[in-house]
Amino acid sequence: MKSSIRRSIAALAIAASTAMGSIAIPSSPAIAVTFEQQEVNQTEFLAVAAPRTSAGTSHYLVVMRQRSNARPCWGVSGSNPTIVDPLWLNFDFTGICGRSLDSNGYSLRAAGEDLGLQYSLRVVNRSGDLTLVAAPNRPGGQQIEIAKANGTTTGFAKLNLNPGWRFAERSFQGRGTGHIYIATDTPLAQLTTPGTGTPGTGTPGTGTPGTGTPGTGTPGTGTPGTGTPGTGTPGTGTPGTGTPGTGTTFRDVAGDTYANEIQRAVNVGFISGFSEDNTFRPRSPLTREQLVSLVLESLDRVPNLNLTIPTQTSSRPYPDVDASRWSAAKIQFARANNIISGYEDGTFRPTQPVTRAEMIAVLSRAAQYGQNLQGRGTQLQSQQPRTFSDTSGHWAAQVISQMSGYCGVASPVNETGTAFSPNSQALRNYAAAATLRMYNCLSGQQPQTQPPQGGTGQQTQPTPTPGGTGQQTQPTPTPGGTRQ
């Protein structure tokens, strides 16, 4: 084992020196103005505490990315800490794995501000726990804790990001650069203020409900309508008390713009969180097959809407969707009822992230289908549609505008400004909110305004040329948030 680790360390050291010699760090202090941030599929990434030497007395951060499914880039086992098997060191991983070894490949970003020149990401041992921190590059600054391994080892260990933190990719003029951000939506000032940090969570308040003896007395008698009313001592009791909670059941949605709607969507039952770590992963992209499941499950819960969703199919709905796939029956049903369509090449691409425009097109068709089942026809009533600054000329411009007036299904990015960003990936938080709004409209409920909470980050008659309508993907769908 020691010799294996020694060879791994040597290979990492060579790769690190090569990377530092070929990639330059921007010297401009205005990085936040130069670069943007784009969301990524969190399941593709792994933060690793890698040993610097074979002795394993110190570690540094390696960020791995599974770019293709040709072969696994790593293996994991155990817990506290979770041990990582660096499989990427045993083969030519070009095109299969992405690897970032130092500040040329990863950096810190908070609330849209690039902090790569102000902070360095380091792995330190804090009381027997390998911990990822952002260390200030100037004296007197405060370290920011980002992740923990929940233990220590002389080998490779998985670093678990604290609630509120996620992976993202640096982009320039809308194109990814390959540089990875360890990102949060919490402003730097809050991260470095003593006693504060990324939004926390709490246990919902509990307590003993007030009790007491119901009032009693002899009913009045006499001429009908008269008599002495019964009397008695009003019931009394101690009001229930407890620790105030966050109002949500997930530890990673506190402060999210869509936190309230996420919780209501979970309560309705068409979307769920990840039970293994009690997270919702609001910033994770939604796939095309996941969207199909999400939308059909929401329709199935609309009161007085008779819908029977099949659980299996004997044929492929699309050439790239096998009949045995978890989502195949739902995709077949959605296709047969004109809720979704595929791409011009005949494929559906079930695991491809769905765009915001595609999602709105699907929700529009789903609303028309549901309304028709209710006997109200397919014409959706849209009131006061929004004008977006970036949808003119887009294939989905009309449906986005119409769905913005249909219970606010289509809305600006993070509910602020005038940009819809139609080609951006639809994230789980907005997908839950937009689907809930469609559900509310079909159920006859008035739309509820979503109060901004300082967090993160919508259709009726589409003619979606680029791949039709957005659907959803989830390799492990049951714990992954959409109801199957």
Side-chain angles (χ1 to χ4, degrees), residues 250-301:
F250 305 106
R251 62 188 181 91
D252 61 344
V253 299
D256 190 283
T257 299
Y258 302 100
N260 291 342
E261 288 178 296
I262 288 172
Q263 189 60 53
R264 292 201 296 271
V266 171
N267 292 342
V268 172
F270 60 79
I271 193 169
S272 62
F274 297 79
S275 59
E276 63 266 28
D277 58 1
N278 191 35
T279 61
F280 185 78
R281 305 176 192 176
R283 303 285 296 179
S284 292
L286 195 69
T287 63
R288 288 171 57 85
E289 66 182 347
Q290 286 173 338
L291 178 61
V292 172
S293 180
L294 184 74
V295 169
L296 292 186
E297 291 296 335
S298 68
L299 289 176
D300 191 39
R301 286 160 173 78

Side-chain angles (χ1 to χ4, degrees), residues 117-167:
L117 298 181
Q118 301 179 42
Y119 288 85
S120 299
L121 295 173
R122 302 175 185 173
V123 177
V124 298
N125 191 323
R126 287 184 172 177
S127 302
D129 192 355
L130 294 175
T131 304
L132 176 64
V133 300
N137 293 332
R138 63 175 184 273
Q142 179 181 333
Q143 287 190 349
I144 303 169
E145 182 182 296
I146 298 173
K148 291 184 177 182
N150 299 321
T152 187
T153 178
T154 57
F156 295 79
K158 176 183 177 181
L159 291 166
N160 304 291
L161 296 182
N162 292 342
W165 292 93
R166 66 186 185 277
F167 298 102

Side-chain angles (χ1 to χ4, degrees), residues 289 311-332 348-350:
E289 66 182 347
T311 58
Q312 59 184 9
T313 180
S314 59
S315 60
R316 295 185 175 204
Y318 290 92
D320 58 341
V321 180
D322 192 84
S324 62
R325 189 174 185 84
W326 70 267
S327 60
K330 290 181 177 180
I331 292 174
Q332 183 78 287
F348 183 72
R349 306 175 196 175

Side-chain angles (χ1 to χ4, degrees), residues 139-457:
Q142 179 181 333
Q143 287 190 349
I144 303 169
E145 182 182 296
I146 298 173
K148 291 184 177 182
N150 299 321
T152 187
T153 178
T154 57
F156 295 79
K158 176 183 177 181
L159 291 166
N160 304 291
L161 296 182
N162 292 342
W165 292 93
R166 66 186 185 277
F167 298 102
E169 184 175 358
R170 173 183 288 173
S171 61
F172 180 69
Q173 296 182 347
R175 300 184 63 180
T177 65
H179 183 96
I180 304 304
Y181 286 128
I182 308 295
T184 180
D185 294 314
T186 304
L188 177 62
Q190 184 176 339
L191 292 171
T192 54
T193 300
T196 65
T198 52
T201 59
T203 303
T206 60
T208 304
T211 59
T213 304
T216 60
T218 304
T221 61
T223 304
T226 65
T228 304
T231 61
T233 304
T236 61
T238 303
T241 60
T243 303
T246 61
T248 61
T249 58
F250 305 106
R251 62 188 181 91
D252 61 344
V253 299
D256 190 283
T257 299
Y258 302 100
N260 291 342
E261 288 178 296
I262 288 172
Q263 189 60 53
R264 292 201 296 271
V266 171
N267 292 342
V268 172
F270 60 79
I271 193 169
S272 62
F274 297 79
S275 59
E276 63 266 28
D277 58 1
N278 191 35
T279 61
F280 185 78
R281 305 176 192 176
R283 303 285 296 179
S284 292
L286 195 69
T287 63
R288 288 171 57 85
E289 66 182 347
Q290 286 173 338
L291 178 61
V292 172
S293 180
L294 184 74
V295 169
L296 292 186
E297 291 296 335
S298 68
L299 289 176
D300 191 39
R301 286 160 173 78
V302 174
N304 302 320
L305 197 157
N306 187 16
L307 182 67
T308 302
I309 303 174
T311 58
Q312 59 184 9
T313 180
S314 59
S315 60
R316 295 185 175 204
Y318 290 92
D320 58 341
V321 180
D322 192 84
S324 62
R325 189 174 185 84
W326 70 267
S327 60
K330 290 181 177 180
I331 292 174
Q332 183 78 287
F333 179 88
R335 182 183 187 182
N337 289 285
N338 197 35
I339 296 174
I340 62 169
S341 61
Y343 287 87
E344 293 179 354
D345 62 0
T347 63
F348 183 72
R349 306 175 196 175
T351 61
Q352 177 174 294
V354 66
T355 68
R356 287 166 60 90
E358 289 175 335
M359 183 177 74
I360 293 304
V362 171
L363 289 173
S364 171
R365 292 186 177 187
Q368 292 173 0
Y369 174 74
Q371 188 171 283
N372 193 47
L373 287 181
Q374 294 172 329
R376 298 191 289 136
T378 59
Q379 183 64 41
L380 302 182
Q381 298 300 315
S382 180
Q383 300 178 350
Q384 298 180 336
R386 287 177 177 263
T387 299
F388 296 101
S389 60
D390 57 353
T391 58
S392 178
H394 193 276
W395 64 266
Q398 180 180 351
V399 70
I400 291 171
S401 175
Q402 186 173 4
M403 291 304 280
S404 71
Y406 183 75
C407 287
V409 172
S411 58
V413 177
N414 297 331
E415 306 303 306
T416 61
T418 60
F420 182 74
S421 192
N423 296 327
S424 295
Q425 295 176 349
L427 306 183
R428 280 172 54 82
N429 56 0
Y430 177 53
T435 306
L436 177 71
R437 296 169 191 176
M438 179 202 71
Y439 167 87
N440 287 339
C441 243
L442 286 174
S443 301
Q445 302 179 33
Q446 292 298 316
Q448 300 183 37
T449 302
Q450 173 69 31
Q453 298 187 27
T456 56

Side-chain angles (χ1 to χ4, degrees), residues 72-125:
C73 297
W74 62 81
V76 294
S77 62
S79 61
N80 300 325
T82 297
I83 302 301
V84 175
D85 185 357
L87 301 177
W88 69 84
L89 297 176
N90 302 325
F91 62 93
D92 180 3
F93 59 74
T94 304
I96 302 174
C97 312
R99 179 177 62 181
S100 300
L101 302 169
D102 54 29
S103 59
N104 289 308
Y106 52 68
S107 61
L108 184 71
R109 189 174 174 93
E113 181 182 4
D114 197 319
L115 302 174
L117 298 181
Q118 301 179 42
Y119 288 85
S120 299
L121 295 173
R122 302 175 185 173
V123 177
V124 298
N125 191 323

